[in-house]
Amino acid sequence: MNYYVKRLGRSLLTLVLVITITFGLTRLMPGGPVEYMRAQLRAQNPNLSTEEINQMVQAYVGVKPDEPLPMQYLNYLVQVLQGDLGRSTFYDQPVASIYANAIPWTLFVLGTALIVTFVISVTLGALLAYKEGSRVDTVVSSISVIMNSVPYYIAAIVLIAVFVTWLGWFPLSGRSSIDIAPGFNIPFILDVTKHAVLPMLSVILTGFGAQTLGMRGNSVRVLGEDYIRVAQLRMLPTHRIAMRYVARNAILPIYTGFIIQIAFILGGSVILEEIFRYPGVGFYFFNGISSRDYPLMMGGFLLISVAVVLAVLIADLTYGILDPRASSGGGDSEAY
Amino acid sequence: MSKTIQHERESDMNEETILEIRNASVTFDMDRGTSRVLNDVSVDVKRNEILGIVGESGSGKSMFADSMLNAVVEPGNLSGEIIYHPEDGQPVDLANADRETMEKYRWKEVSMVFQGAMSSFNPTQKIKDHFTETIKAHDHSLSEGMAHARELLTKLHLDPERVLKSYPHELSGGMQQRALIALSLVLKPRVLVMDEPTAALDLLMQRSILGLLAELQEEYGLTVVFITHDLPLVAGLADRIGVMYAFELAEIGPADQMLENPAHPYTRDLLNAVPNLNTPLDEMKPIEGSSPDPVNDHTGCQYASRCSLATSKCHSTDPPFEQAGDDHETACFHWERAREEIPMAIHDDVPTSDFAVQGKQSAEPVVTLDDVDVHFENKGGFLSQLRGESETVYAVNDIDLDIYENDVVALIGESGCGKSTLGKTAIGIQRPTDGSLDYRGQDVWETRDGGSGDVSFNEIRQSLQLIHQDPGSSLNPNMSVAKALAEPLKQAQSDLSFKDRRERILGMLEYVGLTPAKDYAERYPHQLSGGEKQRVALIRALFMNPDLIFADEAVSALDVSLRVEMMDLMLELQDRFNTSYLFISHNLENARYLAGKTDGRIGVMYLGNIVEIGPAEEMIDNPKHPYTKVLRWSTTDVDPDEDVEEPPIRGIDIPDPVDPPSGCPFQTRCPKAREQCTKEAPSLEASNVDGHSVACFREQDGDHPYWDSEPVEEVDLETDIFGPDLPPAARPETDTGSGSQTADD
Amino acid sequence: MTRTDRLEDYLAQRYETFLLAWSDWRFKLGLLVVVTFVLMGTAGVMLVPKPAYSDGGKWDAPFAGTENLFGTNQFGQDILAMLIHATPAMLLMIIGGAVFATGIGALVGIVSGYKGGRLDEVLMTISDTAMMLPGLPLIIVIGAIWEPTNPFIVGILVSINAWAGTARGLRSQVLTIREESYVEASRVMGVSTPSILRKDITPQLLPLILVNFVMSGRGVIFNSVALYFLGVLPVQNVNWGVMLQQAYEAGAVTSPTLFYTILFPLLTIVILSWGMIMLSQGLDRVVNVRVRARHEGGPQE
Ligand SMILES: Nc1ncnc2c1ncn2[C@@H]1O[C@H](COP(=O)(O)OP(=O)(O)OP(=O)(O)O)[C@@H](O)[C@H]1O
Ligand code: SF4
Ligand code: SF4
Ligand SMILES: [Mg+2]
């Protein structure tokens, strides 16, 4: 119980912190959103009163500049919690609705990529451990290291050059082709998949290396544990030892790595979706940056953060199921 | 419950061999050469016997155990033959069998309990799954198998339902060990190989498991090979005992002969080196030297470098096995001389105490613990804190203890009973939750918090030092011995010049036998053996010129033959440095050795309480508290004639210190507990013998309500160690007690 | 022992550690790569003239002659010269970022692990939270508002939450080390806390800190190149990320003949980051005590 409560508390805290950061950046940064908005609005509407300008600022960024700071913070908090992320200056639409449309796509691409990466790393890592020292081990391990040294956006560039420009197998950009009607039918699904393959591949190819090596190391260690010897002595079937004994115990430590990866990959959506011109959360976020559309930018940051917090929470909670020792909590260490 | 096992088994008819080990060798290829860690061992294991195999750490015992199941770890290479004789059918050579054959025999016929049960279970799988998967893997009927598993668990005093539902980490070490024994027996094997099955457990748990094992062996007609480093432990259990030295079998014979009149010099030396309660203190002596490296070549007798009888022949020729008695073989050329020239220190009569070092304790205590409590809060999460839910571990309760100058107090007790916490509190590194710690009459924690006093906190800090249990981590791996030893001198005597420091360090190294001192001074910890590290740690503590050293199981991690040596050194240096020891041990022998030699005291702790404390020999000869009596009873004398029984207690497992029992802490396991014991906690009260205090109602006068209340549970006891159920004044006089009639209160 | 003796002793010990690492081929390779880049950023800048619009024609193909070995870009600048002259700023960024991330991470991790209690709880909650922040968007937001130009500052900006992982890793290591008996012995002898941290704890952690340093450096490359590639940060000098962006915008990805303009900066980045991974993996022997024990001979059962 304890464990779950702790994790939940941590997630809430992160959430509050993220909101506070966005508020701080919005309100307090010199030359930040509020000042910028106010200056812009005043330039566009020279004959409005300060009060009216302030009200417009609030509509866009959710912060009313002339209120006392705590009030501003409180109002902002309430608005954000109600799902009001302000209004995009660039699209002139509520930020929330822009992102509501984009979220499923990002989750689809990155979620799939993450899961595939995880599955590949776990299987490959365990396999390499069994074949420790063999040729396959050396080759695959080396490849893993090399792939791990490639930034995902570089992989994206190379994939485009190879599969789009030279081979022409995949489309360059977008979520789906314009000429195919959206719906739950085979052509559309195929089309959507085609558009998503390269972004997914960029994540998978560059992400599997580190975790494969981690899994390999853990499996090698687990293979040396006493309980593996005892299991072998008990003449348990090899596949049961591989799955229930080796894999199960070796996954646990890399789970933490996996959790960190979530934040990394979701954050990476910005540049990935920009390269593939894939209208997801990162894409709009980046649009917000390049067009100085602060509400759009801040909303995007908030959303990506929330996604990370939720994903990490899910991962944390499942970890509790995976490792019976986690939920009983380690003894608190004595302070010096 | 505690059934005596007949020693003479009616098994002469099947005195046949069940497992034949022929020329078994295990080698490892290493950079330095081939390491031969089991060298040409041949033994016959007889049907239905308990064979004890004894050897020091690193002597190849585990390799021998692994060989019997053809389960030597990966790069290791087993050669020779392991022939198993099934009850009916052809003998099979397990050492050269394929997987299919192994499937028929391994675990099903020959099964094993590994050294270290704590790591034998898959941490992410419930105990139950371990049983079911084993049964299924061998195509046995699941329901029958599980029924047998439940039966085994019950016999091992476990609640089957609870244990099966648990994950390994939810069980205590003793429970895990018993569950593992059940798991190894679930397929009804004929042979059970046990590698140090009790090494990590407490004294009482060890005894309980041995008792249970003897019962199981009887009931299921098992053949048991019991491997241990602890010779006295198997004395009562085994029918035959084999002694291993340096990867070879040195001697094997019937248990009684092996203990009373062994023929091999090593066995004789080993028995003389083991601290025990029967040997006069000044007759115990350590074995000098250390055991050989497995990579060296193996010609000649392996023991020659340490043997007092060695001749040139011993160095050049391998001694063959010679008959040294009925069914008794020994690999020594001069075994007859050994029997004559190496006297055995063990005498049957309990020795009269004569002390080597006489303590000269002061009138004023150095350290006083006054009504000390130490409780740990297990805080739990934020929400449970809000709800006020938190667990409190009652580690130490209401303890009063005075330690004088040149004093030795040895504390014993089972693991988790708060020994270490009490020790840490006594040297001021653990703040008591309640009560006070005084250093020469000055409150330590008040001083620390800025209170005034004659002595500064820093001085107090330096006067109270400690030595740890694990030699492996007692020294900083990045510091040479000289550097590690310079540290305390810098702290305690900052005025010493570099040269003076160096001189003192070298002098001291010399003194404790780490010669050449210059060489040792430049060594790093990984270049020292466990015993050597422990000696450096002792010097480090002494260089602080402390008034009290807390030695937390300081010899437990050392090899049996090194313990006496280390304790002697501690005592010698006590004299030189004028210091006191608070020594912690989980066994009575070491406590008696150290405290007995200095006229010190032994204290017995149970669940955070000192239940009895008194002069060392008095505590051994005349224990008063039921718990001490059980401990005393369980401390195996090296006596093969006594049969193993379970200790006379009502429960095997210690209560959880988070939820201690009401009234007397020992009430849940005490065979003499009465209703009154569940209501009221006895306090530690002085008895009629000077300095001997006990916390038990049975030491109260006849008008105490204990004597009128009902027993909590009727127990049939076969031993009479608890004496008659009468108040002290009404007991018939015994010759051991020194004055039980003259109660002067 | 005199001062110089002790220095020698210290150096001998470090040298031993170095030899241990050197015995790993990955360490050798990694070191080679990193040293090459350091030379590029120091001596290379002095030997090779600054890239200029007059270096060659527009899009001169690579390996066509002795001039402009890697070809030129759309402005006629020599690509090799650009790569070399972008190195110093990148090295500064790496150092700035890695020093920042490792320094803060080590401080937080060591103090938190050793001190324990409330302080530990607070510090770890902060690091856990920092670890959950999506790094790149946060960096982009701050970068976009703040627009730093100094390479050191950029390095620090892009490592803004990288210290948290280091802190976590070191803390768990410290937790085991501080339970070692010799640390307690020092405490009991009255050795001061800073002294214990310096003599008993940190030396054990050095290899791990080094690994973290290298990995943070790699993170700096990844993130800073990304920021410049996206055009979030103002550009002052030549920069690998900017080279990527310019080539990308000029259609290097869609036109096979121009692909070299993006390939060279891309390879440069991958090679440096690969070298750094190799370096950190090569340190494995030094970090991993179990492996070390095996190396020194004799099983330590
Ligand atoms: N994997 C291995 N490779 C090489 N040598 C080994 C290996 N495992 C053990 N040894 C060596 O084999 C010898 C015997 O080891 P073994 O484990 O049988 O000792 P033991 O008598 O069981 O000791 P303990 O009482 O400590 O369990 C030792 O010298 C040990 O160092
Ligand atoms: S053979 Fe020689 S060296 Fe070996 S034990 Fe016998 S007397 Fe000693
Ligand atoms: S007080 Fe009662 S329960 Fe406690 S030890 Fe004495 S007899 Fe046993
Ligand atoms: Mg062993």
Side-chain angles (χ1 to χ4, degrees):
Chain A
M1 204 58 239
N2 212 325
Y3 170 84
Y4 298 105
V5 171
K6 252 188 191 155
R7 297 292 128 153
L8 208 67
R10 200 179 79 175
S11 304
L12 281 177
L13 197 79
T14 315
L15 222 55
V16 172
L17 187 80
V18 166
I19 296 176
T20 312
I21 289 178
T22 42
F23 171 77
L25 287 176
T26 312
R27 175 66 190 85
L28 301 177
M29 280 295 266
V34 168
E35 274 180 32
Y36 181 84
M37 292 281 337
R38 209 153 41 158
Q40 242 188 0
L41 286 171
R42 198 177 290 285
Q44 284 162 10
N45 317 288
N47 38 11
L48 285 183
S49 70
T50 311
E51 174 58 18
E52 280 166 318
I53 296 261
N54 281 346
Q55 245 155 24
M56 284 177 73
V57 169
Q58 188 183 15
Y60 280 111
V61 292
V63 169
K64 210 170 163 196
D66 55 350
E67 277 180 340
L69 215 56
M71 263 325 268
Q72 288 185 24
Y73 180 65
L74 219 67
N75 282 337
Y76 182 75
L77 204 67
V78 169
Q79 276 194 23
V80 167
L81 290 180
Q82 283 171 346
D84 179 359
L85 298 178
R87 202 174 171 79
S88 160
T89 49
F90 184 76
Y91 293 97
D92 203 23
Q93 268 181 39
V95 171
S97 72
I98 296 177
Y99 282 118
N101 189 313
I103 286 174
W105 296 95
T106 300
L107 285 187
F108 162 61
V109 171
L110 296 182
T112 317
L114 259 172
I115 292 169
V116 171
T117 310
F118 188 66
V119 171
I120 291 183
S121 325
V122 166
T123 352
L124 204 57
L127 224 85
L128 292 185
Y130 266 100
K131 305 221 177 262
E132 194 195 354
S134 71
R135 210 196 187 80
V136 185
D137 179 28
T138 323
V139 171
V140 178
S141 295
S142 308
I143 293 178
S144 300
V145 175
I146 293 176
M147 290 318 290
N148 191 220
S149 21
V150 179
Y152 51 90
Y153 49 86
I154 286 191
I157 291 174
V158 175
L159 285 175
I160 290 179
V162 175
F163 290 102
V164 180
T165 311
W166 294 344
L167 298 174
W169 289 356
F170 295 103
L172 173 61
S173 62
R175 305 165 176 163
S176 62
S177 312
I178 318 165
D179 48 353
I180 296 181
F184 202 72
N185 50 48
I186 304 229
F188 180 71
I189 292 176
L190 266 182
D191 183 59
V192 165
T193 314
K194 243 182 165 176
H195 280 84
V197 164
L198 290 186
M200 285 182 190
L201 265 186
S202 323
V203 172
I204 297 169
L205 286 180
T206 55
F208 86 98
Q211 295 201 45
T212 300
L213 292 178
M215 179 71 187
R216 178 185 171 279
N218 290 329
S219 305
V220 168
R221 184 181 49 74
V222 170
L223 278 173
E225 294 280 354
D226 283 346
Y227 54 83
I228 300 291
R229 275 191 84 197
V230 178
Q232 282 163 349
L233 274 190
R234 281 189 281 144
M235 291 298 187
L236 298 187
T238 323
H239 65 89
R240 185 169 177 101
I241 296 182
M243 296 310 298
R244 295 297 293 268
Y245 281 71
V246 181
R248 178 88 183 258
N249 285 292
I251 284 179
L252 297 178
I254 72 160
Y255 219 74
T256 337
F258 178 64
I259 292 173
I260 298 175
Q261 190 104 341
I262 295 177
F264 180 73
I265 288 181
L266 284 180
S269 68
V270 178
I271 182 163
L272 215 54
E273 292 178 351
E274 169 63 15
I275 292 177
F276 287 101
R277 319 230 107 246
Y278 196 90
V281 177
F283 178 82
Y284 287 111
F285 170 74
F286 189 68
N287 263 0
I289 303 267
S290 32
S291 54
R292 296 264 144 185
D293 183 344
Y294 282 110
L296 193 59
M297 165 170 149
M298 288 310 178
F301 175 66
L302 206 60
L303 264 180
I304 295 175
S305 306
V306 171
V308 171
V309 169
L310 284 181
V312 170
L313 186 66
I314 293 173
D316 268 343
L317 297 186
T318 42
Y319 182 83
I321 299 170
L322 228 54
D323 187 355
R325 285 162 300 184
S327 36
S328 60
D332 281 322
S333 44
E334 172 199 346
Y336 291 157
Chain B
M1 187 163 114
S2 45
K3 196 174 2 147
T4 312
I5 307 302
Q6 289 316 114
H7 194 70
E8 300 83 32
R9 294 195 175 72
E10 56 277 52
S11 58
D12 271 349
M13 43 201 292
N14 41 17
E15 261 280 316
E16 42 164 323
T17 303
I18 186 164
L19 204 55
E20 226 180 300
I21 295 127
R22 288 276 154 269
N23 309 97
S25 295
V26 175
T27 52
F28 283 92
D29 287 326
M30 300 206 300
D31 304 341
R32 313 183 280 139
T34 301
S35 175
R36 195 169 260 276
V37 294
L38 188 69
N39 189 22
D40 206 12
V41 170
S42 301
V43 183
D44 286 348
V45 183
K46 292 170 192 154
R47 206 175 286 279
N48 288 359
E49 77 167 339
I50 297 185
L51 172 64
I53 298 286
V54 179
E56 285 175 79
S57 171
S59 59
K61 304 183 299 283
S62 294
M63 293 301 148
F64 177 71
D66 297 350
S67 304
M68 277 186 273
L69 275 86
N70 187 5
V72 175
V73 282
E74 251 314 305
N77 193 1
L78 168 68
S79 62
E81 292 173 354
I82 313 287
I83 299 164
Y84 175 68
H85 298 268
E87 232 138 295
D88 35 47
Q90 287 301 308
V92 264
D93 180 4
L94 297 181
N96 302 299
D98 53 7
R99 180 172 167 110
E100 221 169 293
T101 323
M102 285 315 286
E103 250 164 44
K104 274 198 223 116
Y105 295 98
R106 205 189 258 167
W107 215 264
K108 223 170 182 170
E109 302 275 319
V110 185
S111 160
M112 181 162 180
V113 175
F114 266 109
Q115 186 166 8
M118 319 297 164
S119 51
S120 290
F121 288 109
N122 180 353
T124 54
Q125 193 173 271
K126 290 189 173 155
I127 301 290
K128 181 169 187 181
D129 297 326
H130 289 86
F131 280 94
T132 50
E133 67 187 5
T134 311
I135 297 167
K136 280 189 200 151
H138 291 83
D139 301 319
H140 282 218
S141 144
L142 190 59
S143 56
E144 262 173 51
M146 283 314 287
H148 185 54
R150 289 201 168 82
E151 181 188 316
L152 284 167
L153 289 169
T154 314
K155 288 218 169 83
L156 289 159
H157 299 303
L158 290 168
D159 171 3
E161 295 322 313
R162 215 202 108 199
V163 168
L164 289 174
K165 277 212 310 273
S166 306
Y167 282 104
H169 73 275
E170 293 165 345
L171 303 178
S172 72
M175 289 170 148
Q176 286 190 29
Q177 187 60 273
R178 280 175 284 155
L180 188 63
I181 294 176
L183 181 61
S184 66
L185 294 176
V186 70
L187 299 177
K188 306 191 179 164
R190 311 310 314 158
V191 182
L192 179 62
V193 179
M194 308 182 92
D195 189 4
E196 300 264 21
T198 60
L201 302 176
D202 279 315
L203 180 61
L204 286 187
M205 183 60 75
Q206 278 190 5
R207 283 302 294 245
S208 304
I209 287 184
L210 288 190
L212 294 169
L213 192 65
E215 280 174 38
L216 291 174
Q217 192 262 348
E218 172 90 340
E219 182 161 352
Y220 297 108
L222 275 175
T223 306
V224 176
V225 180
F226 192 100
I227 291 167
T228 176
H229 66 274
D230 191 353
L231 223 177
L233 185 75
V234 283
L237 179 75
D239 302 301
R240 289 195 304 151
I241 291 178
V243 172
M244 288 190 71
Y245 180 76
F247 330 107
E248 291 174 2
L249 195 66
E251 180 169 21
I252 185 165
D256 48 350
Q257 278 201 46
M258 287 296 287
L259 288 158
E260 277 154 14
N261 198 14
H264 199 280
Y266 173 64
T267 318
R268 296 181 82 86
D269 289 344
L270 187 64
L271 277 167
N272 286 343
V274 179
N276 65 74
L277 299 183
N278 303 46
T279 311
L281 291 173
D282 41 13
E283 283 181 35
M284 289 183 198
K285 53 171 175 291
I287 308 179
E288 307 285 338
S290 60
S291 103
D293 184 1
V295 179
N296 293 347
D297 80 312
H298 291 259
T299 47
C301 173
Q302 293 299 302
Y303 192 52
S305 61
R306 299 167 85 184
C307 179
S308 56
L309 305 178
T311 56
S312 59
K313 184 176 171 194
C314 305
H315 287 277
S316 58
T317 323
D318 272 353
F321 270 101
E322 290 180 27
Q323 206 72 27
D326 238 8
D327 198 21
H328 186 162
E329 286 180 285
T330 190
C332 171
F333 294 117
H334 310 299
W335 60 270
E336 280 152 321
R337 266 179 61 209
R339 278 192 171 155
E340 281 159 25
E341 291 171 29
I342 305 176
M344 295 296 288
I346 299 170
H347 303 306
D348 275 339
D349 49 334
V350 177
T352 49
S353 341
D354 56 336
F355 301 116
V357 185
Q358 279 296 334
K360 29 184 195 308
Q361 282 92 322
S362 57
E364 289 302 311
V366 183
V367 164
T368 306
L369 293 164
D370 184 19
D371 206 9
V372 164
D373 282 332
V374 183
H375 299 166
F376 297 111
E377 260 351 279
N378 263 348
K379 275 188 255 79
F382 171 68
L383 275 190
S384 47
Q385 253 171 315
L386 276 188
R387 275 188 264 119
E389 281 171 18
S390 63
E391 291 187 328
T392 306
V393 180
Y394 297 90
V396 165
N397 300 313
D398 305 328
I399 284 189
D400 293 304
L401 183 65
D402 289 334
I403 300 171
Y404 301 89
E405 276 172 28
N406 281 60
D407 199 359
V408 172
V409 177
L411 286 177
I412 62 169
E414 287 165 281
S415 73
C417 74
K419 302 180 297 255
S420 296
T421 311
L422 178 61
K424 286 184 176 180
T425 313
I427 57 165
I429 52 174
Q430 170 69 53
R431 190 186 275 265
T433 320
D434 212 1
S436 67
L437 166 71
D438 287 359
Y439 171 77
R440 298 191 187 280
Q442 185 182 330
D443 190 305
V444 173
W445 289 99
E446 244 171 51
T447 312
R448 150 96 202 234
D449 295 339
S452 57
D454 305 335
V455 194
S456 74
F457 180 73
N458 225 3
E459 276 170 69
I460 300 179
R461 172 71 286 122
Q462 297 181 356
S463 307
L464 309 174
Q465 288 299 311
L466 88 169
I467 309 173
H468 289 91
Q469 168 170 17
D470 176 17
S473 78
S474 57
L475 301 174
N476 185 336
N478 291 328
M479 280 193 193
S480 64
V481 168
K483 223 168 156 191
L485 290 180
E487 205 65 41
L489 289 177
K490 280 188 210 157
Q491 291 291 329
Q493 286 151 285
S494 40
D495 49 337
L496 281 185
S497 73
F498 180 79
K499 212 169 131 243
D500 290 345
R501 272 209 304 267
R502 178 95 186 149
E503 246 157 46
R504 293 204 49 183
I505 291 170
L506 292 181
M508 206 56 208
L509 285 174
E510 191 106 19
Y511 187 83
V512 302
L514 296 178
T515 45
K518 281 212 168 98
D519 170 35
Y520 273 93
E522 298 316 318
R523 290 204 196 177
Y524 284 88
H526 70 266
Q527 297 163 313
L528 302 176
S529 76
E532 289 168 344
K533 279 183 218 169
Q534 226 38 352
R535 274 184 265 182
V536 174
L538 174 63
I539 304 176
R540 185 177 58 190
L542 286 168
F543 269 166
M544 298 294 296
N545 269 330
D547 289 321
L548 172 65
I549 294 181
F550 163 44
D552 192 352
E553 306 243 15
V555 301
S556 308
L558 300 182
D559 245 336
V560 189
S561 56
L562 290 174
R563 287 187 193 163
V564 171
E565 200 178 339
M566 180 72 193
M567 287 193 281
D568 279 341
L569 187 63
M570 285 176 68
L571 293 176
E572 231 176 289
L573 290 170
Q574 170 179 34
D575 231 24
R576 215 178 128 143
F577 282 83
N578 263 326
T579 186
S580 303
Y581 291 114
L582 176 60
F583 179 83
I584 288 199
S585 167
H586 58 261
N587 75 32
L588 213 45
E589 293 100 327
N590 292 342
R592 176 223 180 203
Y593 190 85
L594 209 66
K597 271 200 164 183
T598 48
D599 213 356
R601 285 167 291 164
I602 293 181
V604 176
M605 279 191 80
Y606 186 78
L607 274 185
N609 299 274
I610 291 186
V611 295
E612 182 170 9
I613 184 165
E617 295 295 314
E618 169 77 11
M619 290 286 287
I620 302 291
D621 299 341
N622 192 18
K624 290 182 190 296
H625 195 280
Y627 180 63
T628 319
K629 290 183 178 182
V630 176
L631 284 181
R632 175 70 183 86
W633 180 94
S634 307
T635 303
T636 6
D637 302 338
V638 184
D639 185 359
D641 297 331
E642 217 168 279
D643 289 317
V644 262
E645 293 167 40
E646 284 180 57
I649 37 173
R650 282 171 35 232
I652 290 188
D653 295 296
I654 312 175
D656 192 347
V658 169
D659 181 22
S662 65
C664 174
F666 192 46
Q667 164 255 111
T668 52
R669 296 163 83 196
C670 180
K672 294 289 176 191
R674 299 193 180 183
E675 292 302 335
Q676 185 63 25
C677 306
T678 64
K679 292 183 202 132
E680 190 194 336
S683 54
L684 195 62
E685 279 175 42
S687 78
N688 42 32
V689 178
D690 202 21
H692 192 162
S693 310
V694 190
C696 173
F697 296 137
R698 289 171 66 80
E699 294 305 309
Q700 297 282 343
D701 289 339
D703 49 7
H704 191 272
Y706 171 85
W707 297 111
D708 297 325
S709 65
E710 288 301 308
V712 172
E713 187 185 329
E714 279 304 337
V715 245
D716 250 354
L717 288 173
E718 298 204 356
T719 54
D720 56 352
I721 57 167
F722 301 108
D725 288 332
L726 293 168
R731 287 175 204 159
E733 195 163 355
T734 53
D735 34 17
T736 39
S738 38
S740 50
Q741 291 294 340
T742 50
D744 48 5
D745 46 338
Chain C
M1 235 177 4
T2 61
R3 208 181 181 82
T4 47
D5 273 354
R6 257 173 293 168
L7 185 69
E8 257 172 42
D9 195 47
Y10 176 83
L11 287 180
Q13 232 180 308
R14 293 286 155 257
Y15 182 63
E16 252 175 55
T17 314
F18 176 78
L19 278 187
L20 184 61
W22 187 248
S23 65
D24 193 313
W25 61 272
R26 295 173 298 184
F27 181 80
K28 278 184 212 159
L29 260 180
L31 199 63
L32 186 75
V33 170
V34 171
V35 167
T36 309
F37 274 90
V38 170
L39 287 179
M40 238 165 90
T42 48
V45 192
M46 290 183 237
L47 296 176
V48 179
K50 267 192 172 191
Y53 296 136
S54 54
D55 282 342
K58 190 176 172 183
W59 282 318
D60 280 352
F63 306 119
T66 45
E67 287 268 301
N68 305 332
L69 197 61
F70 286 1
T72 58
N73 66 3
Q74 65 261 52
F75 308 116
Q77 291 165 300
D78 179 75
I79 290 184
L80 181 60
M82 287 178 85
L83 288 177
I84 290 177
H85 280 271
T87 313
M90 180 54 82
L91 291 181
L92 286 182
M93 267 182 235
I94 293 178
I95 292 173
V99 166
F100 169 80
T102 323
I104 303 275
L107 191 71
V108 170
I110 293 175
V111 169
S112 176
Y114 185 73
K115 278 292 183 183
R118 273 267 166 256
L119 183 65
D120 177 40
E121 244 170 73
V122 171
L123 287 178
M124 277 308 110
T125 311
I126 296 175
S127 344
D128 276 350
T129 317
M131 219 150 63
M132 272 209 268
L133 292 178
L136 193 62
L138 180 65
I139 294 163
I140 291 179
V141 169
I142 300 179
I145 294 174
W146 192 14
E147 308 197 322
T149 50
N150 182 320
F152 262 118
I153 306 286
V154 173
I156 292 175
L157 169 69
V158 299
S159 328
I160 195 153
N161 68 344
W163 58 270
T166 305
R168 263 258 166 238
L170 287 176
R171 172 182 173 272
S172 69
Q173 203 64 27
V174 171
L175 278 186
T176 50
I177 295 177
R178 77 161 199 179
E179 295 306 322
E180 300 274 349
S181 309
Y182 65 85
V183 178
E184 190 169 53
S186 293
R187 253 182 329 120
V188 173
M189 287 191 295
V191 180
S192 66
T193 303
S195 204
I196 292 179
L197 290 180
R198 198 160 35 85
K199 287 187 191 164
D200 288 341
I201 308 241
T202 314
Q204 315 286 85
L205 295 173
L206 272 183
L208 192 63
I209 293 178
L210 200 58
V211 167
N212 272 294
F213 186 85
V214 175
M215 291 318 275
S216 321
R218 192 190 70 125
V220 171
I221 306 177
F222 271 37
N223 281 338
S224 69
V225 170
L227 287 195
Y228 284 106
F229 177 67
L230 286 175
V232 173
L233 293 180
V235 189
Q236 283 194 322
N237 286 309
V238 271
N239 178 289
W240 298 340
V242 177
M243 290 175 74
L244 281 183
Q245 186 212 17
Q246 286 174 349
Y248 186 75
E249 302 281 306
V253 177
T254 42
S255 144
T257 48
L258 297 186
F259 190 64
Y260 73 92
T261 54
I262 208 164
L263 179 68
F264 291 119
L266 194 147
L267 277 180
T268 312
I269 295 164
V270 171
I271 289 174
L272 178 55
S273 116
W274 176 77
M276 294 178 95
I277 295 184
M278 280 323 225
L279 196 62
S280 81
Q281 287 204 338
L283 285 170
D284 196 44
R285 275 200 194 149
V286 189
V287 181
N288 195 329
V289 189
R290 268 167 81 182
V291 181
R292 177 158 49 166
R294 215 184 300 152
H295 178 83
E296 278 168 4
Q300 313 268 306
E301 286 304 309

